[in-house]
Every structure is written in structure tokens, then in C-alpha cells.
């Protein structure tokens, strides 16, 4: 967010965000960066619900919620934005209302549309950071490719029955060694064939797992905006809650990847 004129904080905001402001690595300047930031969130489901709540609580200036689904009873086991009174309503609209109640200083835009390769660029073009909490590989590839071409930092995560993963992508930049940062396609070169992985509806998912991983996504979005600690670029966090095991792996640029690889036609 270099060159952006940061907005001032009102007296009410200073009190609201006091616990951020006293953090040495965030402080007043960091909180003003959060207020100036525009974040796009793909999916308001298991990962998106806690992610959206913590982004709003953190004081992100504008949050765009992109989800074309409606609230169903089976969502309520893990999607903590919603209640029984919301059944049948568009998730994006209900999420916008919930975030407005939580923090009126945050502007929320509800996009109750299905994200596709045709509309993704328009949906993310004026976002500073994108967070993908979708539940399928087709959307993850569409979003990660679009963020590469639009030069948008992307925080992306996924969950299974008792396990999850999280990473951050900035493949439009180079690392300290002068090599390009890895793309999503460096980490997952090919999509799994249809039916290779069971859906949450088929295999189930632990509700609290989505809360944990979604909250960590919010932390990584804040890190990307403010800048503190060690980035998750080139690192993949893995969570196994059945064994309560957490580990972080490193991964690098694949020179054969189609986005910024040696033979990429669209690499810039």
C-alpha cells in the first residue's frame, strides 16, 4: 500500500482498536493501513465465516464478500455467521448484515454471484488483498491465476475432515534469491481428477477446524496489509487436528509452471 494516503482514526476507532494500537508491530500506522485496505473474500462458508468476522473486527476499511450460495441448515454446524432465521437467504447478503452489526466502520459489499473465469478480474480488480476460502479446485485455480495477472496478494486455504492447509501467494514478485515467487500451480501443478477427493458433504468436516483455519486466514491478510513477522509466501502450513500436529513446509518456484515459468507467454 505504498503511496496511499492513510485515513485518520476517529476517537471511537482508537478505543475500539486499542489492543492493536498498543502492539508494537501494528500500532497506529498499521491500524490506519487496515482502515485503508480493501479485501476481497471468496466464499462465506466454513472458512469465510470466521475470516470475515475477524477482518471486520480488525477494522478493514472495505470487505467484498463473493458467494452465490444460500444458507442451509447443514451450514450451521460450522458457518458461524448464520442462524436459523437466515435459512434460504443469500450468504453474501447475510454476511454483510452481520459484519455491519459487528463493526459499522467497515464498508461491506455483497456480491451474490458465482465467481467464474469471466468475472473474476472485475470482482478483484480494486482489492488490495484477496482471500480464497472456496471449497473446490476449479475456483482455486481461477482465483490464483487471476490474482497473478492482476498482481494481487492471495491468501488461500483448504480443509478436509480433520486437516487443513494455508499459504500466501505473491508470484508476481521475486524472492530474495532473485527467482520468482512460486505460484499456486507450483504447489499444485494439476487439478485432481473429478471424484478423486470427497466433498465436505460426502466426507464431513469438523466445524471447529474451519474456525481455526479461517481465523488464521484473517491473520495472514492482516500480515499482508501491515507487514509483520515472517510471510507465508513459499511456505505451506499443514494442520492435522486428529493428531493435534502442526507443521510448515517450504516450496519453491517451478520453472515449468505456465504462469511465470521459463516458457510462460504471459509472464511480465
Amino acid at each position: 500500500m505504498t503511496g496511499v494516503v492513510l485515513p485518520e482514526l476517529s476517537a471511537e476507532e482508537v478505543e475500539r482498536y486499542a489492543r492493536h494500537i498498543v502492539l508494537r508491530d501494528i500500532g497506529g500506522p498499521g491500524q490506519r493501513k487496515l482502515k485503508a485496505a480493501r479485501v476481497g473474500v471468496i466464499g462465506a462458508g466454513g472458512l469465510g465465516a470466521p475470516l470475515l468476522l475477524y477482518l471486520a473486527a480488525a477494522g478493514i476499511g472495505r470487505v467484498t464478500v463473493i458467494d452465490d450460495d444460500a444458507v442451509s441448515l447443514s451450514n450451521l454446524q460450522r458457518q458461524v455467521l448464520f442462524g436459523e432465521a437466515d435459512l434460504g437467504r443469500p450468504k453474501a447478503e447475510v454476511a454483510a448484515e452481520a459484519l455491519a452489526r459487528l463493526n459499522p466502520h467497515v464498508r461491506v459489499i455483497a456480491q451474490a454471484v458465482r465467481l467464474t473465469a469471466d468475472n473474476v478480474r472485475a470482482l478483484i480488480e480494486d482489492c488490495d488483498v484477496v482471500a480464497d476460502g472456496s471449497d473446490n479446485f476449479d475456483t482455486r485455480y481461477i482465483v490464483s491465476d487471476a490474482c497473478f495477472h492482476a498482481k494481487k496478494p492471495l491468501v488461500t486455504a483448504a480443509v478436509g475432515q480433520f486437516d487443513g492447509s494455508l499459504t500466501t501467494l505473491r508470484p508476481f514478485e521475486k524472492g530474495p534469491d532473485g527467482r520468482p515467487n512460486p505460484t499456486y500451480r507450483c504447489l499444485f501443478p494439476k487439478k485432481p481428477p473429478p471424484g478423486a477427493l470427497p466433498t465436505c458433504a460426502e466426507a464431513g468436516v469438523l466445524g471447529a477446524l474451519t474456525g481455526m483455519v479461517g481465523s488464521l486466514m484473517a491473520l495472514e491478510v492482516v500480515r499482508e496489509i501491515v507487514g509483520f513477522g515472517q510471510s507465508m509466501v513459499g511456505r505451506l502450513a499443514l494442520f492435522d487436528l486428529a493428531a493435534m500436529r502442526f507443521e510448515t513446509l517450504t516450496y519453491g518456484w517451478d520453472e515449468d509452471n505456465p504462469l511465470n515459468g521459463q516458457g510462460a507467454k504471459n509472464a511480465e
Side-chain angles (χ1 to χ4, degrees), residues 186-206:
C186 297
L187 186 59
F188 300 107
K190 294 182 180 180
K191 288 183 284 188
L197 297 175
T199 65
C200 285
E202 295 167 336
V205 63
L206 182 66

Side-chain angles (χ1 to χ4, degrees), residues 21 32 36 40 59 83 95 125 135 168 202 230-231 249:
I21 292 172
R32 292 169 65 197
E125 64 180 351
D135 61 358
T168 297
E202 295 167 336
Q230 184 178 357
S231 170
L249 308 178

